[in-house]
Amino acid sequence: MKPAESCCGPGSDGPDERPIEGAAADDELAALAKALGHPARVAILRLLGRKNACICGDIVAELPLAQSTVSQHLKVLKDAGLIRGDIDGPRVCYCLEPRALRRLKALVGGL
Amino acid sequence: MKPAESCCGPGSDGPDERPIEGAAADDELAALAKALGHPARVAILRLLGRKNACICGDIVAELPLAQSTVSQHLKVLKDAGLIRGDIDGPRVCYCLEPRALRRLKALVGGL
DNA sequence: TTGCTATATCGTAAAAGTACGATGAAGCCG
DNA sequence: CGGCTTCATCGTACTTTTACGATATAGCAA
């Protein structure tokens, strides 16, 4: 079976090179944390993590929010770099951006 | 020398027992991340981490913000449980709450 | 006591976040 | 082509955040 690769190619790999401390790291961590700072967005990340494949607007069906609101939350996550959205015909397929997630964990771990 | 224990007794220790997933964990992670979601607050946490001892309103001197604004940020961090403030005569001595920090790392790690 | 220092809180203003319905854009199907 | 689905964006209202100066509170010192 071909579960995940139907959309969302492999995320960029390799180690993160940027520093884990300093003013730039502070801003970076704050931006990532801000994106995480809403329960709906945490729920979306968890949802995308459960299906290792990437799902689309089924997210709307899983959350008690209007479609436009979910779209806004997805935009916040995408602007923060935490997820990626690939167009798949009439739908959009979202998936985690593992690199950003690793970066977040490294920054939080540096606290 | 007696660097750290001048104020801020040892934080509670022992493992965290709460679940790392589910709606409650989502809310908890979102609340912690929201508190982290501002560069000034990240800077404050880093400041408190560098001095393993806890410092007081020297934080105000280190940040390009008014005293009242720093006090607000400290309140956000304290309400989130990430720091603790012990009264030390006329000053207040803030320090990290290692337990909350561990909890944050565990929750982020669970993503 | 009065005064001084350190911190919190109040009041306010501007900016950002949250949520919704309505509308628009883009792609598929018949 | 027209109509349908999927999603983003717009416009709007409300709430929250951020920041500041001004004021209150609490402890120390003289």
Side-chain angles (χ1 to χ4, degrees), chain B residues 56-57 67-68 71 91 94:
Chain B
C56 327
Q67 177 265 326
S68 57
S71 199
R91 334 166 194 257
Y94 286 99

Side-chain angles (χ1 to χ4, degrees), chain B residues 61-78:
Chain B
E62 299 267 1
L63 297 180
L65 292 171
Q67 177 265 326
S68 57
T69 305
V70 173
S71 199
Q72 263 186 150
H73 283 304
L74 288 167
K75 179 170 167 48
V76 171
L77 289 170
K78 200 164 65 161

Side-chain angles (χ1 to χ4, degrees), chain B residues 22-90:
Chain B
D26 285 4
D27 287 359
E28 197 188 353
L29 174 51
L32 288 170
K34 192 174 189 175
L36 260 187
H38 193 289
R41 291 196 287 268
V42 175
I44 289 172
L45 288 185
R46 286 250 163 80
L47 214 51
L48 293 178
R50 270 202 291 279
K51 333 248 178 185
N52 68 352
C54 19
I55 51 180
C56 327
D58 304 319
I59 302 167
V60 174
E62 299 267 1
L63 297 180
L65 292 171
Q67 177 265 326
S68 57
T69 305
V70 173
S71 199
Q72 263 186 150
H73 283 304
L74 288 167
K75 179 170 167 48
V76 171
L77 289 170
K78 200 164 65 161
D79 288 348
L82 285 166
I83 66 175
R84 196 149 60 97
D86 289 1
I87 296 177
D88 172 25

Side-chain angles (χ1 to χ4, degrees), chain A residues 56-57 67-68 71 75 90-92 94:
Chain A
C56 327
Q67 177 263 325
S68 58
S71 200
K75 179 171 169 46
R91 333 167 194 256
V92 177
Y94 286 98

Side-chain angles (χ1 to χ4, degrees), chain A residues 2 14 21 39 46 48 59 66 76 78 91 102-103 108:
Chain A
K2 187 167 60 67
E21 285 186 13
R46 285 247 164 79
L48 293 177
I59 302 167
V76 172
K78 199 165 64 159
R91 333 167 194 256
R102 281 199 308 272
R103 179 71 179 151
V108 170

Side-chain angles (χ1 to χ4, degrees), chain A residues 72-83:
Chain A
Q72 263 186 151
H73 284 303
L74 288 168
K75 179 171 169 46
V76 172
L77 289 171
K78 199 165 64 159
D79 288 349
L82 285 166
I83 66 175

